Amino acid sequence: MVEALPWASTVVVVPSPHQVATLPSDLHVMDTVAVRGGAVIVVGYQVSSASADLTARQAYIARYDGALSAPLVGGTGWIQAAGAAGLDAWAVRARLKPEREGSTYELLTSTDGGATWTSGGAIPTTSLTAVAVEGGGCGWAIGAGALLR
């Protein structure tokens, strides 16, 4: 599709969207981020039943780079947020606290565009909604009443 923008002196070519991968039917996507090189990271959680119980959630991170990878991160919890700059990517895994009130947050990091992930440790906050990655190991975490670096 070619679209002429009335305020622009150039013509913008907008590619028609088409499906490139099929996501698991039980996947609840929380965020997607693009990384350098054209790959996309899909994050969220899977739940094997219709249960609304947060303990039934299984964290999910996959990478699309011509094909959708097998899940790269799993385990209990859910991926609350993700961000990327260049090849540096961050994701935050949330888990329900044992007393079933509130969540704990763990920073997951990748330096290879989301192909591999490591734990960056606990994030000391009671709420987390987003991350912003600067690159070079630097970034921000944002929650209700908290801005962390």
Side-chain angles (χ1 to χ4, degrees):
M1 175 167 111
V2 176
E3 182 178 334
L5 303 175
W7 63 87
S9 59
T10 58
V11 173
V12 177
V13 177
V14 180
S16 297
H18 60 281
Q19 184 170 337
V20 296
T22 301
L23 298 172
S25 62
D26 62 346
L27 175 63
H28 298 264
V29 175
M30 299 293 285
D31 211 344
T32 57
V33 294
V35 293
R36 187 172 56 212
V40 174
I41 300 167
V42 179
V43 304
Y45 64 92
Q46 290 179 283
V47 63
S48 58
S49 68
S51 171
D53 186 355
L54 295 178
T55 61
R57 293 181 177 185
Q58 294 295 301
Y60 179 95
I61 297 178
R63 184 176 189 267
Y64 176 83
D65 188 8
L68 190 65
S69 71
L72 301 166
V73 171
T76 60
W78 61 95
I79 304 301
Q80 179 79 19
L87 292 175
D88 288 343
W90 288 10
V92 175
R93 180 199 320 249
R95 290 187 175 113
L96 188 63
K97 288 181 177 178
E99 57 273 16
R100 300 182 63 81
E101 290 195 20
S103 300
T104 61
Y105 301 96
E106 174 189 11
L107 178 65
L108 303 171
T109 62
S110 173
T111 57
D112 58 7
T116 59
W117 293 85
T118 58
S119 176
I123 300 173
T125 189
T126 57
S127 169
L128 200 139
T129 56
V131 294
V133 181
E134 293 179 52
C138 296
W140 301 85
I142 299 106
L147 177 63
L148 302 114
R149 187 164 172 90

